[in-house]
Amino acid sequence: MLRFRENHGTSLAVTMAAAAALYIVWKITQSPEQALQFTFNGLAVGAVYALIAVGFTLVYSTVWFFDLYYGAAAALGAYGVFYLRSFDTLGGRYEVNEPVVNLVFAAVTAGVAAWAFHEAFHTRMRRRGSGRTTVRVADGLIAAIAGIYMWLVLTFPAQMHYLLSPVVGVIVAGAVCWLLYRGYRAAFADANALPAILGGVIVGCVAGAYCAYLIFGSPGAGLYLSWGVSCLLAGVVGLALYRGLYVYMRERARSPLVMLVATLGILLALTAFTTIVFQSAPRPLPEAFGSQPWKIAGANLKAFNVFSIVVAIVSFLALLFVLKRTSFGKAVRAIGDDEEVSKVVGINTTVVIAIVFFVGAIYAAMGGILSGHDTAIQPRMGLLLLLKGWIASVVGGIGNLYGAILGGFVLGLIEQFGIWDLAGEWKDAISFVLLILFLSFWPRGILPRR
């Protein structure tokens, strides 16, 4: 009887999919230009959904509970850009710049930096004979530097290109050194590593200094630097919530429902906090590059939308590489399969999961930023993006990264083609109807998790 129901549900799902495909083909024959426009729009919106779904799936498939802070992270990314770039040219000041907000985020950044440094270097320092006092002083020093630096960036956003140019230079230098060293070792495995190290350091320092110089003299880079700062803030808050709250709740509650309710409270609290600081009125983000449309075969396409699609695909491929080819990725997959066994074999699950929450929040924030540059932002945007990311995960196959990115683009296309003969306000209704249909007839999604 159960097998009959499953076969019946599958047949019905295939029939409905075929009917939808025939409808789209029919509409394409009616107006190819309109169909091309809806395809472009669907892929652009689907890129945001895919980015949200990929990060959401990463977190869910590791800890197996729905972290609703993820929606607040998306709103934090968008509002972070507005906070850092809302300069009032007439008044000569920033529209929103609250000292209390700056201090709170600086304190959270300091705490996370101290924890990260402690976890990374505590054991090594103790092995080298450093006492507890030395370790604590080092932790405090790192916390103070990170907190003060973040406070300066948030308090003086107009000077962001000055403040962050050294950081960008160091990051570029480190990345170039690492890539050159890895490439040299891969090509000459048995050769002396000293030439690779020296060459990497020289080339990396030159490249880093040049990038820092370019940013130092480019005030217009502030908008794109604010993307990085906003994503970092969202990730830092996500990591702090896990390390400071979720760890203890998971040990005591041991129930996904309790975690769901707790993260719902966090989402609502942060949404209310956002409303207090920014008011409830929709706000536009500053115009990014590629805002002028191109005319292609009768349809309008913006370069920024293409950029959004590329970001979603590259982010997915980067995450896939990390999970498949690195020891950290193996640890993440092991925790997702069985966290208790992972602890037994020596994996520091607290650190690994904290990094997962950090990365997942960055993905959410980037999705919120891309969405905010396409439409106006408002405090409840995080909840809607969270729901769209969850729907995309269900459509693609919840818990499956391949399904997450596929589901995001599928959802975007279905939304756009669904409002062909309807008003745009029906778009959200179409998404939830699609969710109900998949939960009813195809609950494992297009690409079920194995």
Side-chain angles (χ1 to χ4, degrees):
M1 185 67 178
L2 180 60
R3 183 176 295 275
F4 171 77
R5 290 180 179 177
E6 290 179 352
N7 292 336
H8 179 70
T10 302
S11 300
L12 183 57
V14 171
T15 302
M16 294 174 64
L22 290 174
Y23 170 77
I24 292 175
V25 171
W26 173 59
K27 298 301 289 185
I28 290 174
T29 58
Q30 282 190 325
S31 176
E33 296 82 4
Q34 187 84 350
L36 185 61
Q37 184 66 66
F38 278 127
T39 301
F40 285 155
N41 294 344
L43 291 175
V45 174
V48 175
Y49 297 162
L51 196 61
I52 297 287
V54 166
F56 176 83
T57 299
L58 171 67
V59 175
Y60 176 75
S61 61
T62 304
V63 295
W64 298 108
F65 73 82
F66 294 114
D67 178 25
L68 300 187
Y69 160 73
Y70 200 76
L76 179 57
Y79 272 97
V81 174
F82 178 81
Y83 188 86
L84 293 169
R85 306 314 302 164
S86 60
F87 189 71
D88 182 5
T89 55
L90 296 179
R93 62 182 179 81
Y94 274 78
E95 182 178 342
V96 181
N97 197 292
E98 297 290 338
V100 175
V101 173
N102 300 340
L103 287 174
V104 168
F105 280 115
V108 174
T109 303
V112 168
W115 174 82
F117 180 82
H118 186 83
E119 290 292 336
F121 298 103
H122 172 73
T123 303
R124 297 179 186 178
M125 293 178 68
R126 294 302 299 271
R127 285 177 180 173
R128 294 177 180 177
S130 301
R132 290 187 177 180
T133 303
T134 304
V135 174
R136 289 175 179 173
V137 169
D139 293 344
L141 183 62
I142 294 298
I145 293 173
I148 292 172
Y149 208 91
M150 182 59 73
W151 178 83
L152 287 172
V153 171
L154 296 177
T155 305
F156 305 103
Q159 284 72 46
M160 189 183 301
H161 57 293
Y162 299 140
L163 293 169
L164 292 182
S165 57
V167 176
V168 174
V170 170
I171 293 174
V172 171
V176 171
C177 291
W178 183 81
L179 288 173
L180 290 177
Y181 175 76
R182 294 287 295 181
Y184 180 87
R185 297 299 292 172
F188 309 101
D190 299 328
N192 186 2
L194 184 59
I197 295 174
L198 292 177
V201 169
I202 294 172
V203 175
C205 289
V206 171
Y210 182 68
C211 290
Y213 169 75
L214 291 179
I215 292 175
F216 188 86
S218 303
L223 173 61
Y224 308 107
L225 291 173
S226 70
W227 291 5
V229 174
S230 300
C231 289
L232 177 64
L233 284 175
V236 163
V237 173
L239 192 156
L241 285 173
Y242 174 77
R243 188 61 189 89
L245 181 63
Y246 295 170
V247 168
Y248 305 104
M249 292 189 64
R250 292 183 73 205
E251 290 176 353
R252 289 162 175 76
R254 295 187 177 275
S255 170
L257 181 60
V258 173
M259 299 303 302
L260 178 68
V261 174
T263 57
L264 175 61
I266 291 171
L267 171 62
L268 296 177
L270 290 177
T271 301
F273 177 74
T274 303
T275 306
I276 292 171
V277 174
F278 297 98
Q279 306 302 318
S280 58
R283 304 293 188 100
L285 290 185
E287 189 174 283
F289 71 93
S291 298
Q292 296 300 319
W294 302 332
K295 199 75 172 179
I296 299 178
N300 293 319
L301 174 66
K302 292 193 295 186
F304 187 80
N305 295 142
V306 177
F307 172 75
S308 299
I309 297 170
V310 172
V311 167
I313 295 174
V314 171
S315 300
F316 165 73
L317 293 176
L319 183 59
L320 196 64
F321 174 82
V322 170
L323 293 178
K324 298 291 186 181
R325 298 297 181 87
T326 66
S327 57
F328 171 76
K330 293 177 182 177
V332 172
R333 288 185 285 129
I335 293 171
D337 292 336
D338 195 316
E339 186 175 345
E340 295 302 322
V341 173
S342 300
K343 293 178 181 178
V344 172
V345 299
I347 297 175
N348 191 335
T349 57
T350 301
V351 171
V352 173
I353 296 175
I355 296 174
V356 166
F357 272 81
F358 177 80
V359 174
I362 288 177
Y363 274 67
M366 196 65 218
I369 291 170
L370 295 177
S371 175
H373 277 292
D374 209 28
T375 59
I377 61 175
Q378 47 95 11
R380 286 180 170 78
M381 65 176 292
L383 177 59
L384 184 58
L385 286 175
L386 172 68
L387 293 174
K388 293 299 181 69
W390 184 63
I391 294 172
S393 299
V394 172
V395 170
I398 195 160
N400 187 339
L401 278 180
Y402 297 97
I405 190 165
L406 175 63
F409 284 112
V410 168
L411 177 60
L413 289 170
I414 289 177
E415 276 189 356
Q416 293 300 315
F417 278 95
I419 59 173
W420 189 306
D421 295 319
L422 300 172
E425 289 77 8
W426 282 88
K427 184 173 61 175
D428 295 335
I430 291 170
S431 298
F432 291 112
V433 169
L434 183 67
L435 172 65
I436 293 171
L437 291 175
F438 265 84
L439 291 176
S440 301
F441 304 111
W442 213 341
R444 299 183 63 196
I446 299 173
L447 298 175
R449 177 184 172 92
R450 296 179 179 178

